[in-house]
Amino acid sequence: MAKGFVSITVERCKGCGFCVEFCPTHVLCLSSAFNSKGYHPPNIVSAEKCSGCDLCGMYCPDFAIFGARYAR
Amino acid sequence: MNETTLEIPYEIPADAHNPVEPFLRMDRMPHIWCPGCGIGTTVNCFTRALLDSKADLDKVAVVSGIGCTGRVAGYARLDSFHTTHGRAIPFATGLKLSNPELQVVVYSGDGDLFAIGGNHFIHAARRNMDLKVICVNNLTYAMTGGQTAPTTPSKVISATNPYGVFEPSFNLVALAEAAGASYVARWTTYHVKQLARSMEEIFKKKGFCFIEVLSPCPTLYQRRNKMGDGLDTMKFYKEVSKVRHGARTSECELTKSGEIVVGKFVDRERPDYFELLRAQMTESLGDRYAEPEVSCSEC
Ligand code: SF4
Ligand code: SF4
Ligand code: SF4
């Protein structure tokens, strides 16, 4: 089971791709779907690989994503 | 790009929240910064530093000047002040002098701090005023349309130098050190962990602290120079940055596409403004010198 999870606020995303590029375990991918402003938000493709490190949250300039570890 | 769905394939625990949210005025979101702009990334690092340093948030004030980075004061859910152009440091100095208990953070851009506010910067550093200055450097005047700033490297195309910048630019870290800063570091928005750690360090450091953060401005800097978007700039930072703690700041000049030296360059002890004031007054006036009392309407 994944150690952590990632949460995305799709409508706040501006599709910059920082989270996708810098996630160390490649959990994310930019989706081909649009949000209502016309940006492509990230999509979770390998949920089981997420460590909850929150690097995506530190990179996201739009505060649209964060990761956290599951409570033990 | 692949999937067309935006579903999250599992339940998010109910108590989970983005660690940045408690520090922001969320009713102001989405913010005005462009897609791929790095200012938001620096704000993430700042809030992580506030969390990790366990600073008393009632004793932290954020002061910004004008410009894209100047908007930080408006978005931070702290005591914050959006001052006039270039005057963030004098405002912050007044705040600190009248209420020395406050941790005063100046959060502004390179245009604001080093062009119209340049004089204030060097004098606050000379006095070793106890301020934490965070300069988001996008190498241009972004909010007004991408004109040449004192930080724009030579050969860059800008709105006011369509055939290339030819004036020499400021090396901010060397300027800060020469003017007397106690702490000088430089990072880029790619170095989120290191930047957050530096920001945490300056909360514990007395005296004038300066952190320069290089940040992409895809809209007005990268676009004109065919340097791609925000993500391309982040990859560029990753590729060309060299961490060199303690490097001589005079050798850390920035160029259009050359190496970017990052790290902590200066961490030294100098008496700050308050100590100097107290020492001089006690020497001259002896017992007749009384520390000014801090008073505010609530205490
Ligand atoms: S929390 Fe870490 S591992 Fe999970 S998606 Fe974000 S960056 Fe990737
Ligand atoms: S970093 Fe944020 S704004 Fe950029 S693509 Fe990821 S979620 Fe969207
Ligand atoms: S103009 Fe440049 S610095 Fe200003 S918000 Fe847009 S990308 Fe950021």
Side-chain angles (χ1 to χ4, degrees):
Chain A
M1 201 190 112
K3 278 194 258 165
F5 61 88
V6 54
S7 165
I8 305 166
T9 311
V10 166
E11 287 306 319
R12 222 184 279 150
C13 169
K14 291 180 190 158
C16 68
F18 291 4
C19 56
V20 175
E21 177 73 21
F22 297 118
C23 167
T25 51
H26 310 290
V27 171
L28 307 162
C29 202
L30 277 190
S31 168
S32 57
F34 295 100
N35 66 11
S36 67
K37 292 226 172 80
Y39 296 112
H40 293 292
N43 186 41
I44 301 164
V45 286
S46 316
E48 72 292 347
K49 289 200 213 141
C50 180
S51 66
C53 66
D54 192 36
L55 257 189
C56 49
M58 287 192 79
Y59 276 110
C60 178
D62 289 270
F63 319 121
I65 190 170
F66 71 95
R69 294 199 167 86
Y70 283 118
R72 291 272 144 195
Chain B
M1 277 190 234
N2 58 0
E3 312 282 319
T4 49
T5 156
L6 294 170
E7 297 282 301
I8 293 186
Y10 45 77
E11 287 274 309
I12 302 291
D15 58 345
H17 69 276
N18 190 334
V20 75
E21 287 186 8
F23 297 93
L24 296 178
R25 298 174 207 249
M26 292 311 290
D27 53 320
R28 302 277 192 92
M29 297 297 138
H31 56 56
I32 63 154
W33 297 317
C34 308
C37 174
I39 300 172
T41 304
T42 71
V43 173
N44 286 325
C45 300
F46 181 59
T47 56
R48 297 323 187 267
L50 282 174
L51 268 175
D52 293 343
S53 67
K54 303 195 176 59
D56 177 357
L57 298 185
D58 288 335
K59 298 236 154 38
V60 177
V62 177
V63 184
S64 292
I66 299 298
C68 293
T69 312
R71 304 293 301 200
V72 170
Y75 295 133
R77 224 182 68 182
L78 295 162
D79 285 335
S80 58
F81 303 86
H82 193 184
T83 67
T84 48
H85 202 1
R87 313 301 170 222
I89 287 183
F91 185 95
T93 300
L95 200 58
K96 181 75 193 176
L97 287 180
S98 60
N99 194 347
E101 280 194 343
L102 284 182
Q103 290 266 28
V104 184
V105 181
V106 175
Y107 212 123
S108 213
D110 51 311
D112 184 74
L113 282 171
F114 290 93
I116 187 167
N119 215 357
H120 301 304
F121 181 91
I122 54 174
H123 292 291
R126 172 180 64 80
R127 294 175 175 134
N128 205 20
M129 192 56 72
D130 192 10
L131 301 177
K132 325 284 164 217
V133 180
I134 296 164
C135 173
V136 178
N137 186 358
N138 50 21
L139 307 170
T140 189
Y141 287 114
M143 189 169 265
T144 48
Q147 293 84 358
T148 300
T151 43
T152 314
S154 77
K155 310 281 184 230
V156 164
I157 308 295
S158 76
T160 43
N161 284 107
Y163 302 107
V165 171
F166 50 86
E167 335 170 352
S169 59
F170 268 152
N171 173 353
L172 302 186
V173 288
L175 180 69
E177 180 181 18
S182 292
Y183 182 105
V184 180
R186 175 198 281 153
W187 297 106
T188 76
T189 46
Y190 166 70
H191 301 90
V192 283
K193 291 270 176 194
Q194 296 93 325
L195 175 59
R197 209 169 311 128
S198 262
M199 287 173 167
E200 195 188 334
E201 263 178 34
I202 60 174
F203 276 113
K204 307 212 166 78
K205 177 99 190 155
K206 239 175 127 71
F208 191 89
C209 299
F210 175 65
I211 301 178
E212 173 185 15
V213 194
L214 284 166
S215 168
C217 172
T219 310
L220 291 160
Y221 182 88
Q222 271 78 23
R223 178 176 56 85
R224 276 207 180 90
N225 291 284
K226 305 204 171 19
M227 291 169 134
D229 60 12
L231 184 57
D232 293 315
T233 313
M234 295 290 268
K235 291 182 191 161
F236 166 72
Y237 289 158
K238 182 178 174 184
E239 191 190 313
V240 303
S241 296
K242 294 269 168 346
V243 181
R244 228 176 275 150
H245 294 296
R248 291 166 69 103
T249 51
S250 58
E251 291 163 9
C252 298
E253 209 135 347
L254 294 173
T255 53
K256 185 177 171 186
S257 49
E259 177 180 276
I260 300 172
V261 182
V262 295
K264 177 165 84 175
F265 306 129
V266 178
D267 189 350
R268 58 186 171 190
E269 299 303 323
R270 283 179 66 215
D272 76 352
Y273 183 85
F274 279 108
E275 288 167 46
L276 294 170
L277 170 81
R278 201 172 294 131
Q280 181 63 36
M281 289 305 177
T282 315
E283 188 188 315
S284 302
L285 299 174
D287 292 346
R288 283 183 296 146
Y289 176 63
E291 288 275 313
E293 264 178 48
V294 181
S295 65
C296 64
S297 51
E298 279 166 36
C299 39

